[in-house]
Structure formats: structure tokens, C-alpha cells
Amino acid sequence: MSTERLRELLERGTPVTVLDVRPAVERAEWSIPGSVHADAYDALRRGDSTALADFHPTNGDRVVTVCAAGKTSKLAAERLRARGLDAVSLEGGMRAWSLAWNTAEVPCPGSTARIVQLRRTGKGCLSYLIGSNGDAAVVDASLEPRIYHRVAEEHGWRIRTVLETHVHADHLSRARALAGDTGARLCLPTTDRVSFEYAPLKDGDIVRVRSAGLRALHTPGHTPESVCYLLDEHALFTGDTLFLAAVGRPDLEASAEQARHRARALHRSLQRLVALPPDTLVLPAHTSEPVVFDGRPISATLGEVQERTSLLRETEEAFVSQILTRLPPTPPNHHRIVALNEAGSLPDDPTELEAGANRCAVA
């Protein structure tokens, strides 16, 4: 079964049991929402006849088996079919699933714009389509351009502007490709990191989406160029600077000394953000959990984020010390991903580079 077919089934709520047969340590990194787990990888690989003998579907009769790349899951499906079950394997496994997506409408009282959150359900990347009076802007495009076209057309919008909050390290940016496909203006925070043409944005600049406005707030720390975009003073697109219960990491593509300097800058940036009204809606570029197909936006008010995130209440010295000792492992392939994003290039097959969970947050 293809990723797109499984995505459609989950989006419609069609009964299907997704059986993950990877080792537990791999599943802990990332998984398909609602899937069940059987740690049968080793048993299947060695041809153990008892592998999955006790498994029974939990959500309807159809079973879709999944592994890392779609090979061992074929063995699992064959074993289940031999027992008379309706079982198929997910083509390409979790690597292919990294491109699966779903959407949620984001209510934003006080703004003339409508917001659609587009979520890469396996990888946790969050991007946004903002529409107003027929025009639209995209923030932090991480999906194929055709998907933004499709969702914009469903709402009667035309994409006029494509914005990035920073040069990403955990996924390949589709911003330049989307701007090229649509003829939209490509906007990035002012930086000398990239080698392609773009419209530079500095602190305080406003990007119009018809009657709505996105104000750029320079928030260095996660990267030197990072910005957040404040929509009509009500919704804040925070990129990787601030998450719903964590903050951005300051160490990627940085020496130890640079990471400490950036951690100090990040503290100042976060203090600027928490000074905004507490009912400001926070819309980050990532989430750490698989995104379920429930149509509910991943968001919180700034006040809620402050309550959840103890690092926001620390002094600068304590913040720097704590964030540098809590750093998670670096994102897989981040050096190669950053190089491609700085060049504005995309490989023919991004699934190998992008496999795995994102690791840009520090809680």
C-alpha cells in the first residue's frame, strides 16, 4: 500500500490496523499515529514461525504492516496473510511515511486571515497557509509544492508569498521550489547564508496578505537569522525559536563558543516574545509527537506555553547553563540538509535524508 493511500484512509477515519514491527528503540523515535506495535523485527528476519502468531487486528479487519524501509514489513504481511488476515505492507516503510501529511484549520479571532496548518504527520514538521481575500502566503514549506497548490485551490486562494523563518536543519525546505512553481515572492530573514536570490526581511518589516499583515520579529538564537512572524498582532509563527513546551536548540552548525553566544541571544529573543500579550496564539514549525488525523490544530496561547516551559522563567545565566546541558542528539543528516537548504536545492529522493524524528527542541 502506498503512503498516499494509507494517508487517505486515516484522514477519512476508515478502520485499519497499522502494525509497526520495528524494534522498540526505533519506534520510540517516531511512529504512525494510532499504530500498534509488535517487536517482531528480529524474529521475522530469522524466519521464526511463531512471529506474530498472537497478533489480532485492533481496528477493523485490514492490516497495514510497517518497518523502516518496507522490507521486513513484507515478511510480516506474508505471515499474516498465511493466517487468513487481510494484510499488506506499507511501500517504502517509515522513510516514505515521512512525507505523509494532514491539515487543520486554525481559528484566529481578531485577524482577517484564515490559517491552515499543514502537518507532516510522521516527522512533525508544521507549515502554514495563510489566506486573505483570495491571496495566500506560506510559512516554512516542508511538503511538496503540489500539496500547497491543492489546499490553496480548495480555499479559493492564490499563493503570492512564500516565507521562511530560518535556514532549517532537520528537513529540506520546499520554499524555493514552491516560489518557483507559483511565481510567488520568496522572503527570508536577512542572511548571507544562502546562495540564491530572495527578498530580505529585517526586524519590523511587514508582509501583506491582502488585508492581513505579517510583521517580522528578529529572534536570533536557534540560528543567527531566525525570525518569527506576528499575524495581525494575534498569531505568532515561531519557527524553531519557541515550541509549545520547549525552546529551540542553539548549537547546530556552531562551535561550543558560538553555541553559548547563541544561547544568550536566544534568551533575549524569548524574553521579547513572552512580553507579547498572553493570549497570542503560538504556531511553531515542529511538534515532537506524531500528528494524528483529528483536524485539531497544534497550537497554544503564549500564556499556556509560558506555564509549560520552565526555561522561559530562568535568568540568562541559568538558561544558558541548562539549555547547553539538555541538548538532545543532533538531527540525522543535518549537515547535508543545511547545505542543501543554503543552496536552495532538493535531491531527487528526499526520504533517506529526512528519515527520523526532528530534534530541534530543548525542553
Side-chain angles (χ1 to χ4, degrees):
M1 179 180 289
S2 69
T3 289
E4 181 60 20
R5 176 59 178 155
L6 179 57
R7 190 197 74 79
E8 291 172 350
L9 292 176
L10 295 177
E11 190 170 54
R12 292 201 301 262
T14 304
V16 59
T17 298
V18 180
L19 173 61
D20 189 334
V21 298
R22 294 175 298 158
V25 65
E26 292 184 23
R27 178 177 170 81
E29 275 279 299
W30 61 324
S31 61
I32 296 176
S35 61
V36 296
H37 184 232
D39 196 343
Y41 182 85
D42 290 337
L44 288 164
R45 296 295 293 177
R46 65 173 179 263
D48 187 337
S49 61
T50 65
L52 302 177
D54 297 328
F55 170 78
H56 298 283
T58 58
N59 184 27
D61 295 330
R62 166 151 277 203
V63 180
V64 179
T65 59
V66 60
C67 65
K71 295 179 181 178
T72 306
S73 58
K74 287 183 180 178
L75 301 176
E78 289 171 2
R79 186 64 53 84
L80 295 177
R81 285 197 298 270
R83 288 176 46 201
L85 297 177
D86 179 10
V88 295
S89 171
L90 180 66
E91 297 171 7
M94 290 299 295
R95 290 179 186 172
W97 183 256
S98 74
L99 296 174
W101 58 280
N102 61 40
T103 65
E105 295 270 351
V106 182
C108 187
S111 172
T112 60
R114 293 176 63 191
I115 305 170
V116 179
Q117 187 179 66
L118 293 94
R119 301 93 71 86
R120 282 179 63 173
T121 174
K123 192 157 183 66
C125 300
L126 308 176
S127 56
Y128 300 90
L129 185 64
I130 305 158
S132 176
N133 299 321
D135 284 357
V138 174
V139 176
D140 285 336
S142 60
L143 291 162
E144 296 177 28
R146 63 177 178 81
I147 295 169
Y148 298 100
H149 280 290
R150 169 176 162 180
V151 178
E153 287 177 357
E154 289 172 354
H155 288 79
W157 300 333
R158 181 174 177 182
I159 298 171
R160 301 283 190 179
T161 310
V162 178
L163 304 104
E164 290 275 73
T165 55
H166 65 291
V167 177
H168 294 273
D170 68 318
H171 71 265
L172 294 163
S173 170
R174 274 71 169 183
R176 190 180 181 212
L178 178 59
D181 283 0
T182 58
R185 181 171 63 138
L186 176 60
C187 298
L188 276 75
T190 301
T191 181
D192 60 3
R193 294 182 62 187
V194 301
S195 58
F196 51 86
E197 292 186 2
Y198 68 96
L201 296 175
K202 62 182 185 300
D203 187 68
D205 283 351
I206 295 177
V207 176
R208 305 301 309 183
V209 186
R210 289 294 181 100
S211 59
L214 288 159
R215 178 159 61 95
L217 306 177
H218 185 213
T219 50
H222 174 62
T223 67
E225 77 282 352
S226 288
V227 299
C228 299
Y229 296 109
L230 185 59
L231 174 65
D232 292 340
E233 307 300 318
H234 288 283
L236 185 66
F237 300 90
T238 55
D240 288 3
T241 295
L242 178 62
F243 303 102
L244 300 189
V247 303
R249 62 189 301 162
D251 63 309
L252 296 179
E253 307 298 308
S255 66
E257 181 179 351
Q258 289 170 331
R260 182 167 293 275
H261 175 77
R262 280 163 50 174
R264 294 187 183 279
L266 179 61
H267 183 266
R268 292 190 292 270
S269 295
L270 292 168
Q271 293 309 302
R272 180 185 187 187
L273 295 183
V274 298
L276 294 170
D279 61 350
T280 302
L281 190 66
V282 175
L283 296 167
H286 294 106
T287 181
S288 59
E289 300 293 331
V291 184
V292 298
F293 288 74
D294 60 1
R296 297 179 181 176
I298 296 168
S299 64
T301 67
L302 186 56
E304 291 168 337
V305 173
Q306 286 181 264
E307 289 180 6
R308 299 171 184 169
T309 313
S310 62
L311 282 169
L312 297 177
R313 299 188 292 274
E314 299 291 352
T315 64
E316 182 177 306
E317 289 303 320
F319 176 89
V320 171
S321 175
Q322 290 185 34
I323 197 171
L324 293 178
T325 57
R326 297 184 191 178
L327 294 170
T330 55
N333 305 311
H334 71 96
H335 293 303
R336 178 63 176 148
I337 289 173
V338 167
L340 286 166
N341 285 340
E342 288 176 341
S345 301
L346 286 169
D348 292 336
D349 181 4
T351 55
E352 181 72 29
L353 275 177
E354 293 188 313
N358 68 74
R359 296 175 184 160
C360 285
V362 181

mmCIF file with all atom_site columns, all heavy atoms in Angstrom, residues 194-208:
data_model
loop_
_atom_site.group_PDB
_atom_site.id
_atom_site.type_symbol
_atom_site.label_atom_id
_atom_site.label_alt_id
_atom_site.label_comp_id
_atom_site.label_asym_id
_atom_site.label_entity_id
_atom_site.label_seq_id
_atom_site.pdbx_PDB_ins_code
_atom_site.Cartn_x
_atom_site.Cartn_y
_atom_site.Cartn_z
_atom_site.occupancy
_atom_site.B_iso_or_equiv
_atom_site.pdbx_formal_charge
_atom_site.auth_seq_id
_atom_site.auth_comp_id
_atom_site.auth_asym_id
_atom_site.auth_atom_id
_atom_site.pdbx_PDB_model_num
ATOM 1   N N   . VAL A 1 194 ? 22.551 31.906 2.391  1.00 0.00 ? 194 VAL A N   1
ATOM 2   C CA  . VAL A 1 194 ? 22.012 31.239 1.209  1.00 0.00 ? 194 VAL A CA  1
ATOM 3   C C   . VAL A 1 194 ? 22.636 31.797 -0.058 1.00 0.00 ? 194 VAL A C   1
ATOM 4   O O   . VAL A 1 194 ? 23.088 32.945 -0.092 1.00 0.00 ? 194 VAL A O   1
ATOM 5   C CB  . VAL A 1 194 ? 20.473 31.353 1.153  1.00 0.00 ? 194 VAL A CB  1
ATOM 6   C CG1 . VAL A 1 194 ? 19.841 30.728 2.384  1.00 0.00 ? 194 VAL A CG1 1
ATOM 7   C CG2 . VAL A 1 194 ? 20.030 32.797 1.006  1.00 0.00 ? 194 VAL A CG2 1
ATOM 8   N N   . SER A 1 195 ? 22.635 30.965 -1.117 1.00 0.00 ? 195 SER A N   1
ATOM 9   C CA  . SER A 1 195 ? 23.291 31.345 -2.365 1.00 0.00 ? 195 SER A CA  1
ATOM 10  C C   . SER A 1 195 ? 22.298 31.624 -3.484 1.00 0.00 ? 195 SER A C   1
ATOM 11  O O   . SER A 1 195 ? 22.685 31.666 -4.642 1.00 0.00 ? 195 SER A O   1
ATOM 12  C CB  . SER A 1 195 ? 24.262 30.241 -2.792 1.00 0.00 ? 195 SER A CB  1
ATOM 13  O OG  . SER A 1 195 ? 23.584 29.004 -2.942 1.00 0.00 ? 195 SER A OG  1
ATOM 14  N N   . PHE A 1 196 ? 21.020 31.816 -3.148 1.00 0.00 ? 196 PHE A N   1
ATOM 15  C CA  . PHE A 1 196 ? 20.003 32.104 -4.156 1.00 0.00 ? 196 PHE A CA  1
ATOM 16  C C   . PHE A 1 196 ? 19.357 33.455 -3.847 1.00 0.00 ? 196 PHE A C   1
ATOM 17  O O   . PHE A 1 196 ? 19.486 33.984 -2.741 1.00 0.00 ? 196 PHE A O   1
ATOM 18  C CB  . PHE A 1 196 ? 18.945 30.991 -4.197 1.00 0.00 ? 196 PHE A CB  1
ATOM 19  C CG  . PHE A 1 196 ? 18.357 30.660 -2.853 1.00 0.00 ? 196 PHE A CG  1
ATOM 20  C CD1 . PHE A 1 196 ? 17.271 31.361 -2.343 1.00 0.00 ? 196 PHE A CD1 1
ATOM 21  C CD2 . PHE A 1 196 ? 18.895 29.628 -2.086 1.00 0.00 ? 196 PHE A CD2 1
ATOM 22  C CE1 . PHE A 1 196 ? 16.734 31.053 -1.100 1.00 0.00 ? 196 PHE A CE1 1
ATOM 23  C CE2 . PHE A 1 196 ? 18.356 29.310 -0.839 1.00 0.00 ? 196 PHE A CE2 1
ATOM 24  C CZ  . PHE A 1 196 ? 17.278 30.028 -0.353 1.00 0.00 ? 196 PHE A CZ  1
ATOM 25  N N   . GLU A 1 197 ? 18.653 33.997 -4.821 1.00 0.00 ? 197 GLU A N   1
ATOM 26  C CA  . GLU A 1 197 ? 18.023 35.298 -4.652 1.00 0.00 ? 197 GLU A CA  1
ATOM 27  C C   . GLU A 1 197 ? 16.751 35.182 -3.819 1.00 0.00 ? 197 GLU A C   1
ATOM 28  O O   . GLU A 1 197 ? 16.000 34.205 -3.946 1.00 0.00 ? 197 GLU A O   1
ATOM 29  C CB  . GLU A 1 197 ? 17.692 35.915 -6.015 1.00 0.00 ? 197 GLU A CB  1
ATOM 30  C CG  . GLU A 1 197 ? 18.920 36.310 -6.825 1.00 0.00 ? 197 GLU A CG  1
ATOM 31  C CD  . GLU A 1 197 ? 18.541 37.041 -8.104 1.00 0.00 ? 197 GLU A CD  1
ATOM 32  O OE1 . GLU A 1 197 ? 17.328 37.266 -8.316 1.00 0.00 ? 197 GLU A OE1 1
ATOM 33  O OE2 . GLU A 1 197 ? 19.459 37.378 -8.875 1.00 0.00 ? 197 GLU A OE2 1
ATOM 34  N N   . TYR A 1 198 ? 16.517 36.170 -2.986 1.00 0.00 ? 198 TYR A N   1
ATOM 35  C CA  . TYR A 1 198 ? 15.318 36.214 -2.165 1.00 0.00 ? 198 TYR A CA  1
ATOM 36  C C   . TYR A 1 198 ? 15.060 37.657 -1.758 1.00 0.00 ? 198 TYR A C   1
ATOM 37  O O   . TYR A 1 198 ? 15.940 38.520 -1.869 1.00 0.00 ? 198 TYR A O   1
ATOM 38  C CB  . TYR A 1 198 ? 15.465 35.332 -0.919 1.00 0.00 ? 198 TYR A CB  1
ATOM 39  C CG  . TYR A 1 198 ? 16.481 35.846 0.073  1.00 0.00 ? 198 TYR A CG  1
ATOM 40  C CD1 . TYR A 1 198 ? 16.092 36.623 1.167  1.00 0.00 ? 198 TYR A CD1 1
ATOM 41  C CD2 . TYR A 1 198 ? 17.853 35.569 -0.075 1.00 0.00 ? 198 TYR A CD2 1
ATOM 42  C CE1 . TYR A 1 198 ? 17.016 37.110 2.074  1.00 0.00 ? 198 TYR A CE1 1
ATOM 43  C CE2 . TYR A 1 198 ? 18.773 36.041 0.836  1.00 0.00 ? 198 TYR A CE2 1
ATOM 44  C CZ  . TYR A 1 198 ? 18.354 36.816 1.914  1.00 0.00 ? 198 TYR A CZ  1
ATOM 45  O OH  . TYR A 1 198 ? 19.270 37.293 2.807  1.00 0.00 ? 198 TYR A OH  1
ATOM 46  N N   . ALA A 1 199 ? 13.862 37.926 -1.280 1.00 0.00 ? 199 ALA A N   1
ATOM 47  C CA  . ALA A 1 199 ? 13.526 39.243 -0.751 1.00 0.00 ? 199 ALA A CA  1
ATOM 48  C C   . ALA A 1 199 ? 13.863 39.249 0.738  1.00 0.00 ? 199 ALA A C   1
ATOM 49  O O   . ALA A 1 199 ? 13.246 38.511 1.511  1.00 0.00 ? 199 ALA A O   1
ATOM 50  C CB  . ALA A 1 199 ? 12.047 39.542 -0.961 1.00 0.00 ? 199 ALA A CB  1
ATOM 51  N N   . PRO A 1 200 ? 14.849 40.064 1.157  1.00 0.00 ? 200 PRO A N   1
ATOM 52  C CA  . PRO A 1 200 ? 15.265 40.044 2.564  1.00 0.00 ? 200 PRO A CA  1
ATOM 53  C C   . PRO A 1 200 ? 14.289 40.789 3.467  1.00 0.00 ? 200 PRO A C   1
ATOM 54  O O   . PRO A 1 200 ? 13.732 41.823 3.091  1.00 0.00 ? 200 PRO A O   1
ATOM 55  C CB  . PRO A 1 200 ? 16.627 40.739 2.534  1.00 0.00 ? 200 PRO A CB  1
ATOM 56  C CG  . PRO A 1 200 ? 16.551 41.655 1.355  1.00 0.00 ? 200 PRO A CG  1
ATOM 57  C CD  . PRO A 1 200 ? 15.673 40.969 0.345  1.00 0.00 ? 200 PRO A CD  1
ATOM 58  N N   . LEU A 1 201 ? 14.088 40.230 4.650  1.00 0.00 ? 201 LEU A N   1
ATOM 59  C CA  . LEU A 1 201 ? 13.229 40.867 5.645  1.00 0.00 ? 201 LEU A CA  1
ATOM 60  C C   . LEU A 1 201 ? 14.049 41.192 6.884  1.00 0.00 ? 201 LEU A C   1
ATOM 61  O O   . LEU A 1 201 ? 14.788 40.345 7.378  1.00 0.00 ? 201 LEU A O   1
ATOM 62  C CB  . LEU A 1 201 ? 12.072 39.940 6.029  1.00 0.00 ? 201 LEU A CB  1
ATOM 63  C CG  . LEU A 1 201 ? 11.071 39.574 4.930  1.00 0.00 ? 201 LEU A CG  1
ATOM 64  C CD1 . LEU A 1 201 ? 10.066 38.551 5.455  1.00 0.00 ? 201 LEU A CD1 1
ATOM 65  C CD2 . LEU A 1 201 ? 10.357 40.817 4.423  1.00 0.00 ? 201 LEU A CD2 1
ATOM 66  N N   . LYS A 1 202 ? 13.881 42.394 7.381  1.00 0.00 ? 202 LYS A N   1
ATOM 67  C CA  . LYS A 1 202 ? 14.547 42.783 8.625  1.00 0.00 ? 202 LYS A CA  1
ATOM 68  C C   . LYS A 1 202 ? 13.498 43.002 9.702  1.00 0.00 ? 202 LYS A C   1
ATOM 69  O O   . LYS A 1 202 ? 12.293 43.007 9.442  1.00 0.00 ? 202 LYS A O   1
ATOM 70  C CB  . LYS A 1 202 ? 15.382 44.043 8.415  1.00 0.00 ? 202 LYS A CB  1
ATOM 71  C CG  . LYS A 1 202 ? 14.594 45.277 8.013  1.00 0.00 ? 202 LYS A CG  1
ATOM 72  C CD  . LYS A 1 202 ? 15.510 46.462 7.790  1.00 0.00 ? 202 LYS A CD  1
ATOM 73  C CE  . LYS A 1 202 ? 14.735 47.747 7.510  1.00 0.00 ? 202 LYS A CE  1
ATOM 74  N NZ  . LYS A 1 202 ? 13.874 47.680 6.325  1.00 0.00 ? 202 LYS A NZ  1
ATOM 75  N N   . ASP A 1 203 ? 13.976 43.187 10.903 1.00 0.00 ? 203 ASP A N   1
ATOM 76  C CA  . ASP A 1 203 ? 13.076 43.349 12.043 1.00 0.00 ? 203 ASP A CA  1
ATOM 77  C C   . ASP A 1 203 ? 12.099 44.501 11.801 1.00 0.00 ? 203 ASP A C   1
ATOM 78  O O   . ASP A 1 203 ? 12.498 45.609 11.413 1.00 0.00 ? 203 ASP A O   1
ATOM 79  C CB  . ASP A 1 203 ? 13.891 43.631 13.308 1.00 0.00 ? 203 ASP A CB  1
ATOM 80  C CG  . ASP A 1 203 ? 13.044 43.644 14.560 1.00 0.00 ? 203 ASP A CG  1
ATOM 81  O OD1 . ASP A 1 203 ? 12.546 42.567 14.935 1.00 0.00 ? 203 ASP A OD1 1
ATOM 82  O OD2 . ASP A 1 203 ? 12.853 44.728 15.149 1.00 0.00 ? 203 ASP A OD2 1
ATOM 83  N N   . GLY A 1 204 ? 10.822 44.211 11.992 1.00 0.00 ? 204 GLY A N   1
ATOM 84  C CA  . GLY A 1 204 ? 9.791  45.238 11.830 1.00 0.00 ? 204 GLY A CA  1
ATOM 85  C C   . GLY A 1 204 ? 9.147  45.288 10.467 1.00 0.00 ? 204 GLY A C   1
ATOM 86  O O   . GLY A 1 204 ? 8.096  45.935 10.300 1.00 0.00 ? 204 GLY A O   1
ATOM 87  N N   . ASP A 1 205 ? 9.739  44.649 9.470  1.00 0.00 ? 205 ASP A N   1
ATOM 88  C CA  . ASP A 1 205 ? 9.133  44.646 8.128  1.00 0.00 ? 205 ASP A CA  1
ATOM 89  C C   . ASP A 1 205 ? 7.783  43.937 8.167  1.00 0.00 ? 205 ASP A C   1
ATOM 90  O O   . ASP A 1 205 ? 7.595  42.960 8.913  1.00 0.00 ? 205 ASP A O   1
ATOM 91  C CB  . ASP A 1 205 ? 10.044 43.938 7.126  1.00 0.00 ? 205 ASP A CB  1
ATOM 92  C CG  . ASP A 1 205 ? 11.205 44.800 6.688  1.00 0.00 ? 205 ASP A CG  1
ATOM 93  O OD1 . ASP A 1 205 ? 11.218 45.997 7.019  1.00 0.00 ? 205 ASP A OD1 1
ATOM 94  O OD2 . ASP A 1 205 ? 12.122 44.266 6.016  1.00 0.00 ? 205 ASP A OD2 1
ATOM 95  N N   . ILE A 1 206 ? 6.855  44.411 7.358  1.00 0.00 ? 206 ILE A N   1
ATOM 96  C CA  . ILE A 1 206 ? 5.514  43.822 7.308  1.00 0.00 ? 206 ILE A CA  1
ATOM 97  C C   . ILE A 1 206 ? 5.253  43.270 5.909  1.00 0.00 ? 206 ILE A C   1
ATOM 98  O O   . ILE A 1 206 ? 5.453  43.968 4.911  1.00 0.00 ? 206 ILE A O   1
ATOM 99  C CB  . ILE A 1 206 ? 4.433  44.853 7.685  1.00 0.00 ? 206 ILE A CB  1
ATOM 100 C CG1 . ILE A 1 206 ? 4.612  45.276 9.148  1.00 0.00 ? 206 ILE A CG1 1
ATOM 101 C CG2 . ILE A 1 206 ? 3.030  44.274 7.474  1.00 0.00 ? 206 ILE A CG2 1
ATOM 102 C CD1 . ILE A 1 206 ? 3.642  46.338 9.609  1.00 0.00 ? 206 ILE A CD1 1
ATOM 103 N N   . VAL A 1 207 ? 4.833  42.019 5.854  1.00 0.00 ? 207 VAL A N   1
ATOM 104 C CA  . VAL A 1 207 ? 4.440  41.370 4.602  1.00 0.00 ? 207 VAL A CA  1
ATOM 105 C C   . VAL A 1 207 ? 2.917  41.346 4.568  1.00 0.00 ? 207 VAL A C   1
ATOM 106 O O   . VAL A 1 207 ? 2.280  40.808 5.481  1.00 0.00 ? 207 VAL A O   1
ATOM 107 C CB  . VAL A 1 207 ? 5.005  39.941 4.515  1.00 0.00 ? 207 VAL A CB  1
ATOM 108 C CG1 . VAL A 1 207 ? 4.503  39.243 3.257  1.00 0.00 ? 207 VAL A CG1 1
ATOM 109 C CG2 . VAL A 1 207 ? 6.531  39.969 4.550  1.00 0.00 ? 207 VAL A CG2 1
ATOM 110 N N   . ARG A 1 208 ? 2.344  41.923 3.520  1.00 0.00 ? 208 ARG A N   1
ATOM 111 C CA  . ARG A 1 208 ? 0.890  41.983 3.423  1.00 0.00 ? 208 ARG A CA  1
ATOM 112 C C   . ARG A 1 208 ? 0.336  40.752 2.714  1.00 0.00 ? 208 ARG A C   1
ATOM 113 O O   . ARG A 1 208 ? 0.903  40.259 1.734  1.00 0.00 ? 208 ARG A O   1
ATOM 114 C CB  . ARG A 1 208 ? 0.430  43.224 2.641  1.00 0.00 ? 208 ARG A CB  1
ATOM 115 C CG  . ARG A 1 208 ? 0.938  44.556 3.145  1.00 0.00 ? 208 ARG A CG  1
ATOM 116 C CD  . ARG A 1 208 ? 0.569  44.870 4.564  1.00 0.00 ? 208 ARG A CD  1
ATOM 117 N NE  . ARG A 1 208 ? -0.861 44.707 4.854  1.00 0.00 ? 208 ARG A NE  1
ATOM 118 C CZ  . ARG A 1 208 ? -1.397 44.990 6.028  1.00 0.00 ? 208 ARG A CZ  1
ATOM 119 N NH1 . ARG A 1 208 ? -0.644 45.423 7.023  1.00 0.00 ? 208 ARG A NH1 1
ATOM 120 N NH2 . ARG A 1 208 ? -2.694 44.823 6.229  1.00 0.00 ? 208 ARG A NH2 1
#
